Amino acid sequence: MAVTDRVQPPPPDTNPRASRGKSVKRLAFSQKVSKWDVKLSPYLYISPFFLLFAITGLFPLLYTAWVSLHSWNLIGGQGDFTGLENYAFVLAQPFFWNAVGNTFSIFLLSSVPQVVLAIAIAAVLDANLRARTFWRMGVLVPFVVAPVAVGLIFNNLFADQAGLVNEILTGIGLDPVRWHSDSLASHAAIATMVNFRWTGYNALIFLAAMQAVPRDVYEAATIDGAGRLRQFFSVTVPMLRPTIIFVVITATIGGLQIFDEARVFDQAGLGGADRQWQTLTMYIWELGWGQRNFGRASAVAWLLFLIIVVIAMANFLITRRIATQGGRR
Amino acid sequence: MQNRARITALSAAAACLALTLAACGSGGEENAGVEGETGTEEVTLSVGTFNEFGYEELFTEYEELNPNVTIEHKKAATSNEARDNLTTRLAAGSGLSDIEGIEMDWLPELLEYSDQFADLSDPAVEGRWLDWKSAAATTEDGQLIGYGTDAGPQAVCYRADLFEKAGLPSDRESVADMLDGSWQDYFDAGKKFVAASDGTAWFDSAGATYQGMINQVENAYEEEDGTVIATENPEVKDIYEQVLQASVTDGLSAHLTQWEDDWTASFQSDAFATKLCPGWMLGIIEGNAEGIDGWDIADVFPGGAGNWGGSYLTIPTQGANQAEAKKLAEWLTAPEQQIKAFESKGNFPSQVDALESETLLGQTNAFFNDAPTGEILVNRANAIDIRPFKGPKYFPINDAMQQALTRVDVDETDDPASSWEKFVTAVGAL
């Protein structure tokens, strides 16, 4: 409360009875204003975000919970209150668990290589390159391409019979991969699309963090006789820990909500005939817009929300541990 | 992180939806009694279509005939996009165009909410459409929710050059004779063809062939009262088994999924010799098979006749200018105008009078060996006498079935029996 100290205490009064009413009133008002100022202004300054969040984030979240407790048709609207019936139904569906599995599989196949690659690319960009800005802008180009366009291009590459990837594989004497039939192959293909789009973006975040690493640390390492590779692993990567935590957590949230790339992987957009690559968000789409059952779709949406919260917390605990270990050294 | 932008967009959309839901009560009542007033007042009519309805020039013409009307055209790229737009705005209670184009495929879902659409039945348009066309848009109590635009009568397109190589008759009259009859005759001809040809399949996909067959069953998946019978109906199971027998056991299928990249590419590689083709498919074949000679079309369809696709114009009751909109929709779907749309984009008309038009009957198609496509498709349209009942769950069920077929025919992840089990599970989950 250092700020309130600045408010002058009322001067000692010689004749309390005569002046109390007047002076107290005057002082109380200015005091009140400055008190409000001190107490409320900070909240006012940060309020736009929270108001916006309440309208666009919190309200839909709670409304979705409300919808998930009813039978609710997309066009017909609210039906009977059904309690947790939608949740029970969805949890009993093999399709739901299949979608959970696919989501995690695609998430891992995309996030892990993405973070590793992004750090490697950032390290290269951090070096003394000619036309540095050109290369740095270059890695962001895939990010600018619309996901649907990426989908169209990669679909063509990954077509089972006529695709370029399989042409090359058969060309060098390998068996063609059944990209749209084999579950794991389809996940790999979708993860490729995700990585194509997001690796460069993450690389730029890592690059920014790398540039913040004090150069004298490297100089000291050089004097100690550490080579480039040793410097990278012993100086750069530990210094990047907070950034890695940030990227991993945001990638988790995004990865568990993957939709666009998987949806455009074939024309029907339902995740394959055997639901080989149907993710949770696609399952929500199928329930809500395909079957028009908003109640069940909302139940899955809430389950997804809970999964993300759990995973993000686990993530946070693990990475914080790593981070504090790094800090102590 | 991939989807941070989408989270924002989705939550914004959800908020809007919630807000408009609250607002929809007032919107509905305001427009309840507008019917009947058509005048000379200035009106702007919005028309929502998708793909190609061929209406661009007609709009200009209508504006010249009715100087008080300005038409605003909102065109969605695909039928799916139009469907999503329509359902979302129906749910929101506002934002739809005065006239909305609807595809036959998602019409049954909307018949359930017929109170959201103006009743278009009118003595002036009685008998204008082929029976099955207007019947599909009529509710049980006789409300007509849409005016028919185009239709998709199906014939058989085939590769005359490949037929010839395999020693089969190849001119379109003899092919029509050979394929006339049941689906079994079609499959038998296929067996002969495959035995005599070098690796070319008889048809493109099990899913497409199934589509042709199931469209000839009156109550395939649902009873009139909405009871789902898809998994118990012996006819459905029988067709399922017939198609897979022909596709996989007899090897007649090229093992493709319609509309996929492999399917599109297959037109260039002699992958299959015949294809069931509604009128609008001709343009697609011509586009995909560019530079390939030998395509022809026969005036025949196994099992009689069938329709695949076609659209309607509806007038949502949330619009403010329903009377003027109805006038425009009626004019656009009149036989004369449909012929103009046909000339513009090749949309095959569903109007009885239009089928007698010289322009239509005289149409030939150079790509299909100068076949009289107009005359063939008119014959195919007139031959349609089955009205398959499509209830509100028709499309999710049909989707599940298509997936079941794909699992066996294309993905090879299942055999017919296990794939059927998965189909039963999927239908049970609806």
Side-chain angles (χ1 to χ4, degrees):
Chain A
M1 282 278 116
V3 191
T4 37
D5 293 346
R6 272 188 229 141
V7 180
Q8 296 281 313
D13 211 310
T14 42
N15 186 353
R17 258 202 200 161
S19 57
R20 181 185 278 161
K22 198 178 127 200
S23 65
V24 164
K25 200 176 171 190
R26 186 173 50 83
L27 280 171
F29 182 69
S30 70
Q31 231 168 354
K32 254 187 202 163
V33 170
S34 61
K35 251 188 189 164
W36 288 340
D37 187 28
V38 167
K39 282 194 168 162
L40 293 179
S41 296
Y43 297 105
L44 210 64
Y45 296 144
I46 56 162
S47 65
F49 168 77
F50 285 96
L51 286 176
L52 208 65
F53 172 74
I55 296 170
T56 62
L58 194 63
F59 174 73
L61 197 67
L62 297 175
Y63 196 71
T64 307
W66 175 246
V67 172
S68 72
L69 299 175
H70 292 79
S71 71
W72 199 294
N73 185 287
L74 173 59
I75 304 176
Q78 189 172 358
D80 299 333
F81 180 83
T82 54
L84 293 176
E85 212 175 273
N86 286 326
Y87 289 89
F89 178 89
V90 169
L91 287 171
Q93 290 298 314
F95 301 146
F96 173 77
W97 297 107
N98 171 55
V100 171
N102 289 344
T103 305
F104 275 94
S105 168
I106 295 175
F107 158 59
L108 288 175
L109 281 173
S110 60
S111 294
V112 177
Q114 193 176 309
V115 172
V116 173
L117 256 175
I119 295 180
I121 292 172
V124 174
L125 288 176
D126 196 31
N128 260 330
L129 288 174
R130 232 176 260 207
R132 210 180 288 163
T133 319
F134 171 78
W135 297 112
R136 288 178 185 175
M137 296 297 283
V139 298
L140 204 59
V141 167
F143 181 66
V144 184
V145 185
V148 177
V150 175
L152 286 175
I153 296 163
F154 277 78
N155 247 335
N156 220 310
L157 294 179
F158 286 115
D160 291 57
Q161 293 173 19
L164 184 66
V165 178
N166 275 348
E167 294 263 320
I168 293 172
L169 287 180
T170 46
I172 57 172
L174 292 170
D175 281 339
V177 178
R178 298 162 54 76
W179 298 110
H180 286 82
S181 317
D182 187 57
S183 228
L184 200 64
S186 70
H187 298 175
I190 292 165
T192 313
M193 290 187 221
V194 177
N195 291 339
F196 170 76
R197 236 170 89 72
W198 287 92
T199 308
Y201 178 87
N202 287 330
L204 282 194
I205 294 180
F206 284 127
L207 177 63
M210 278 179 196
Q211 306 232 299
V213 177
R215 295 288 133 172
D216 43 2
V217 181
Y218 289 110
E219 277 165 28
T222 315
I223 292 167
D224 285 349
R228 303 273 310 167
L229 210 61
R230 182 67 202 266
Q231 283 185 19
F232 175 74
F233 284 109
S234 299
V235 178
T236 313
V237 173
M239 291 292 233
L240 282 182
R241 271 206 178 100
T243 316
I244 295 176
I245 295 170
F246 169 77
V247 168
V248 165
I249 290 182
T250 47
T252 309
I253 297 172
L256 291 180
Q257 296 181 334
I258 181 166
F259 181 77
D260 306 14
E261 288 86 354
R263 186 165 158 81
V264 296
F265 193 54
D266 75 348
Q267 291 296 326
L270 294 170
D274 205 16
R275 296 172 193 251
Q276 289 99 327
W277 65 93
Q278 185 178 52
T279 63
L280 272 171
T281 40
M282 288 168 77
Y283 188 49
I284 295 176
W285 176 271
E286 188 196 333
L287 289 172
W289 277 264
Q291 302 177 13
R292 288 159 194 253
N293 196 326
F294 259 30
R296 285 176 193 168
S298 303
V300 178
W302 254 84
L303 290 169
L304 175 61
F305 172 68
L306 294 179
I307 292 174
I308 289 176
V309 169
V310 170
I311 300 289
M313 288 208 347
N315 233 324
F316 180 70
L317 289 177
I318 295 167
T319 40
R320 197 182 56 169
R321 237 177 146 180
I322 299 170
T324 44
Q325 273 172 2
R328 259 186 225 134
R329 286 200 316 156
Chain B
M1 164 183 344
Q2 278 79 341
N3 302 304
R4 213 181 299 136
R6 216 190 47 250
I7 300 173
T8 332
L10 272 185
S11 25
C16 288
L17 190 69
L19 292 174
T20 36
L21 272 177
C24 79
S26 59
E29 282 156 43
E30 247 170 64
N31 306 324
V34 182
E35 277 276 11
E37 289 278 319
T38 74
T40 48
E41 260 176 70
E42 287 290 328
V43 282
T44 306
L45 294 175
S46 47
V47 183
T49 67
F50 49 88
N51 297 342
E52 297 290 354
F53 274 59
Y55 285 169
E56 279 77 3
E57 286 147 39
L58 290 174
F59 287 151
T60 322
E61 193 181 332
Y62 191 79
E63 284 174 333
E64 276 161 17
L65 291 171
N66 301 273
N68 62 320
V69 177
T70 317
I71 297 171
E72 202 183 304
H73 190 191
K74 296 176 181 171
K75 195 156 138 186
T78 64
S79 151
N80 274 350
E81 197 182 316
R83 175 177 178 261
D84 291 341
N85 172 58
L86 185 92
T87 38
T88 311
R89 293 183 181 199
L90 266 186
S94 68
L96 284 174
S97 299
D98 293 305
I99 296 179
E100 284 284 347
I102 286 181
E103 200 183 6
M104 196 155 208
D105 287 4
W106 28 285
L107 181 75
E109 318 169 324
L110 299 169
L111 278 175
E112 262 192 301
Y113 302 99
S114 56
D115 55 330
Q116 302 268 9
F117 296 94
D119 184 3
L120 301 180
S121 53
D122 192 321
V125 295
E126 234 158 77
R128 177 187 273 185
W129 292 278
L130 292 163
D131 282 346
W132 54 268
K133 182 76 181 176
S134 46
T138 309
T139 61
E140 263 174 57
D141 47 11
Q143 181 192 346
L144 181 68
I145 73 163
Y147 284 160
T149 59
D150 58 326
Q154 302 190 77
V156 176
C157 291
Y158 68 99
R159 287 281 299 273
D161 54 336
L162 297 178
F163 271 41
E164 208 168 316
K165 243 198 249 169
L168 261 58
S170 64
D171 63 295
R172 58 183 84 92
E173 284 76 24
S174 341
V175 171
D177 283 342
M178 175 175 75
L179 298 181
D180 196 22
S182 70
W183 286 95
Q184 206 47 58
D185 296 320
Y186 173 70
F187 295 143
D188 287 342
K191 278 187 238 173
K192 251 188 266 167
F193 172 84
V194 170
S197 77
D198 183 22
T200 301
W202 178 238
F203 52 75
D204 54 339
S205 114
T209 311
Y210 174 88
Q211 197 84 31
M213 296 171 82
I214 203 71
N215 265 328
Q216 295 173 334
V217 180
E218 259 174 56
N219 287 76
Y221 303 141
E222 289 160 286
E223 295 284 11
E224 236 85 355
D225 62 4
T227 322
V228 175
I229 52 166
T231 53
E232 291 114 52
N233 192 347
E235 274 183 287
V236 173
K237 183 95 194 252
D238 183 45
I239 293 177
Y240 172 82
E241 275 162 0
Q242 269 191 65
V243 170
L244 289 180
Q245 162 82 28
S247 303
V248 181
T249 319
D250 300 337
L252 303 188
S253 161
H255 308 300
L256 297 161
T257 312
Q258 273 200 105
W259 314 116
E260 294 298 333
D261 288 319
D262 279 338
W263 179 79
T264 311
S266 69
F267 283 87
Q268 293 290 339
S269 60
D270 296 356
F272 54 88
T274 66
K275 159 123 205 63
L276 306 178
C277 54
W280 49 264
M281 185 66 88
L282 300 181
I284 292 168
I285 295 177
E286 189 177 339
N288 289 341
E290 206 186 334
I292 303 283
D293 289 327
W295 277 98
D296 207 327
I297 174 170
D299 186 359
V300 69
F301 194 70
N307 179 72
W308 180 10
S311 299
Y312 293 86
L313 294 182
T314 62
I315 298 173
T317 47
Q318 57 177 253
N321 302 308
Q322 290 173 41
E324 283 287 349
K326 188 179 169 189
K327 244 175 70 180
L328 171 59
E330 194 196 313
W331 184 82
L332 283 173
T333 55
E336 308 79 55
Q337 274 67 249
Q338 270 316 123
I339 288 297
K340 287 182 195 162
F342 166 76
E343 285 177 290
S344 161
K345 298 288 176 197
N347 296 329
F348 192 82
S350 60
Q351 286 76 355
V352 178
D353 288 349
L355 295 188
E356 281 154 26
S357 139
E358 285 308 314
T359 327
L360 186 59
L361 286 167
Q363 190 211 30
T364 58
N365 191 318
F367 183 80
F368 288 86
N369 192 18
D370 292 316
T373 44
E375 197 190 315
I376 290 175
L377 292 171
V378 166
N379 286 342
R380 292 291 95 215
N382 284 328
I384 297 172
D385 55 358
I386 321 136
R387 292 176 204 166
F389 172 78
K390 299 183 178 181
K393 288 196 174 156
Y394 183 89
F395 282 91
I397 296 175
N398 202 47
D399 261 348
M401 175 52 95
Q402 288 290 342
Q403 291 178 351
L405 295 165
T406 306
R407 281 193 290 267
V408 184
D409 181 42
V410 187
D411 289 359
E412 294 169 26
T413 53
D414 281 279
D415 58 40
S418 70
S419 192
W420 176 264
E421 284 309 312
K422 288 183 183 174
F423 166 70
V424 173
T425 316
V427 172
L430 291 178

